[in-house]
Amino acid sequence: MKKTTVLIGIIFFTTIFGCKESTNKLGENEFVLKGELEGIKNDSWIYLIFDNKPVDSTKIIDNKFSINGVTEHPKQYNLLIKNSQNYTRIWLESGELKFKAKDGEFKDAIIEGSNSQKESEKLWKPIWEYRKRRDSLSKIVYNNELNDSLKLNAKLELKKVQQNRLKIESDFIKNNPQSYVSAKTLDFYATSLPKKTVYELYDGFSDEIKKSSYGKSVKRFLDLNQNPQIGDKYLDFTMPNENNKLVKLSDFEGKLILLEFWASWCGPCKKEYPALRKAYSKFHSNGFEIVSISEDQTKEQWLKAIDENKLNWINLWQKGGNNADPYLIYGINGIPANFLIDENGIIIEQDLKGEKLISKIEEKLKDKASR
């Protein structure tokens, strides 16, 4: 009887602890992020963001938190406490990761357990130095109290500094072809680098990296990108408008078209609204059309901007922001950007702004009418 009781007890003990052990064991793509914080208000919520969307959140209790999740491969996420200065980027991958930070110092956090995080920190060390130099030069370039000669020299130096940053990141990608950090970096800078360079860096990736979401995105860019120039024929595409009706750029062939790339959050884009409204109002009845492609991340932001700013021309949007097809096809690496396309479908001007845009449209329509 005693032996039976002991045996049952052993079975019970083994079953309970066996279950607990299997519950805590992480799967192949699972991670657990454990945080130790200092100075954070109890019951504050901390959010894990990916692709501008919250993927998880939890309360901070006694300066600690824990987030479990699944990621198909190492990816960069944003970690933040809402309505505070506590924000940073973090590379998550399978396994147990530790995050230690003080209130207001999330960017200086100690992150352990992520090899990709270490690679990212290695890449960013020289970039922080670049940023210091960039910021000091920018203050000179945009200081209206300084003389033009000094500002011009600073502008030339700033261009060299910016080119050096691209070299830092290109060299990192080339020297770390099996890194997910390299793949994400190349995905981000694809439109800023010569296409030949993007091909070469992509070709250096391992098969595993090429199959990642970042690798696939770079491949999509390589497949789509054409970088048309003045004198080239426009490149067609299809996108949905506000009513989800599919619209082609070729639907407006025969008209003078301004293909405009913008976003609701873009300050320089907003400065161009008056000129765009003026041009559309003045010339639309004479065969002028604006086809605008928004870089906004959400449809709600895009629709709100159209309504509030009376942007009543052809407005198109595709999920993905600056990763939408036209942005890749036309190689857009900064907004606002535009292409003026004549009635024959030839690109005749790029990046026209303000009164220059209006005068060029007027000149082209007068020339067309005189024929």
Side-chain angles (χ1 to χ4, degrees), residues 145-253:
E145 295 179 5
L146 298 176
N147 66 63
D148 290 341
S149 177
L150 185 61
K151 289 167 70 174
L152 178 60
N153 288 334
K155 192 173 184 178
L156 293 172
E157 186 61 28
L158 180 60
K159 188 174 181 179
K160 290 179 185 176
V161 169
Q162 289 169 334
Q163 289 171 341
N164 187 51
R165 171 172 181 169
L166 281 176
K167 186 178 185 307
I168 289 169
E169 293 180 299
S170 295
D171 288 347
F172 179 88
I173 296 166
K174 185 177 180 181
N175 296 327
N176 297 273
Q178 297 190 33
S179 168
Y180 289 94
V181 177
S182 292
K184 186 183 189 308
T185 304
L186 184 58
D187 183 28
F188 185 81
Y189 283 105
T191 55
S192 301
L193 294 167
K195 192 172 181 180
K196 182 174 180 290
T197 302
V198 179
Y199 264 120
E200 290 169 351
L201 293 172
Y202 173 80
D203 282 344
F205 286 159
S206 65
D207 287 343
E208 181 182 359
I209 298 299
K210 286 181 178 178
K211 290 175 184 177
S212 72
S213 60
Y214 300 129
K216 288 176 181 177
S217 184
V218 175
K219 180 63 165 59
R220 180 167 164 262
F221 163 79
L222 291 171
D223 290 342
L224 289 175
N225 179 249
Q226 297 294 321
N227 282 335
Q229 304 296 314
I230 292 173
D232 292 342
K233 176 86 173 178
Y234 79 91
L235 296 159
D236 205 8
F237 58 81
T238 303
M239 286 184 78
N241 66 10
E242 302 100 310
N243 301 314
N244 289 321
K245 180 184 176 182
L246 292 178
V247 177
K248 290 183 178 180
L249 184 59
S250 57
D251 292 341
F252 310 100
E253 205 166 72

Side-chain angles (χ1 to χ4, degrees), residues 233-234 248-259 280 283-291 313-314 339-348 361 364-365 368 371:
K233 176 86 173 178
Y234 79 91
K248 290 183 178 180
L249 184 59
S250 57
D251 292 341
F252 310 100
E253 205 166 72
K255 294 185 176 184
L256 182 64
I257 305 167
L258 183 72
L259 178 60
Y280 190 75
F283 304 118
H284 179 61
S285 61
N286 295 323
F288 171 67
E289 188 59 81
I290 299 175
V291 178
W313 40 79
I314 306 301
F339 297 81
L340 188 62
I341 303 166
D342 72 11
E343 67 275 15
N344 299 311
I346 303 300
I347 297 169
I348 55 174
I361 294 169
K364 186 63 186 173
L365 289 173
K368 181 183 177 183
R371 280 186 235 147

Side-chain angles (χ1 to χ4, degrees), residues 44-111:
S44 296
W45 282 88
I46 190 163
Y47 296 84
L48 191 63
I49 311 290
F50 183 76
D51 198 20
N52 293 303
K53 296 176 183 176
V55 293
D56 206 344
S57 61
T58 189
K59 273 188 180 181
I60 298 167
I61 307 295
D62 296 330
N63 280 310
K64 292 183 179 180
F65 71 88
S66 181
I67 294 176
N68 292 66
V70 175
T71 184
E72 60 179 314
H73 58 69
K75 289 182 180 179
Q76 191 179 59
Y77 293 73
N78 293 327
L79 189 68
L80 62 89
I81 296 175
K82 200 171 182 180
N83 301 322
S84 78
Q85 297 298 312
N86 295 306
Y87 162 84
T88 193
R89 292 188 176 97
I90 180 171
W91 278 87
L92 298 182
E93 55 190 55
S94 60
E96 184 174 308
L97 302 95
K98 294 181 179 178
F99 180 89
K100 296 181 181 179
K102 296 179 181 179
D103 182 26
E105 299 179 13
F106 267 37
K107 291 188 182 296
D108 298 318
I110 297 171
I111 301 167

Side-chain angles (χ1 to χ4, degrees), residues 20 39 359:
K20 187 174 182 181
S359 62

